[in-house]
Amino acid sequence: PVPPRQGIVIALGDASRAVFRLSGTGSDGATIRLYLEKFIPEPDDDDLHLDAATALKDLGERALHIADLTAFTGREHPDVIT
């Protein structure tokens, strides 16, 4: 769980979730962090060998669509992906 006032959680019907958190000490120059957790009920070898970007792509796209982050930030792509 995310502590109160520490972020926004979008829980999806498949038990996956996206967490948006503001990082930094102020609103100017702050970073929005997006954490993704994908639930796979019965993973097979193909699922377990995917790189993270591929495995989480659909979840990330759904979370960004729901949050409409581009409208709030004016950015189409992240500056940093870790």
Side-chain angles (χ1 to χ4, degrees):
V2 176
R5 302 187 67 175
Q6 294 295 312
I8 297 172
V9 178
I10 298 174
L12 302 168
D14 62 359
S16 298
R17 70 181 194 157
V19 180
F20 291 87
R21 296 189 71 188
L22 191 60
S23 176
T25 57
S27 60
D28 186 42
T31 299
I32 299 171
R33 296 183 184 270
L34 171 58
Y35 300 92
L36 301 171
E37 297 176 357
K38 184 172 184 176
F39 178 72
I40 302 173
E42 296 181 27
D44 59 28
D45 283 342
D46 292 336
D47 294 321
L48 298 176
H49 290 91
L50 290 173
D51 65 278
T54 301
L56 297 171
K57 184 175 190 240
D58 63 326
L59 176 58
E61 289 172 351
R62 286 191 294 163
L64 292 173
H65 176 75
I66 292 168
D68 200 13
L69 202 57
T70 301
F72 290 105
T73 64
R75 295 179 185 255
E76 293 286 330
H77 305 285
D79 292 336
V80 177
I81 299 175
T82 59

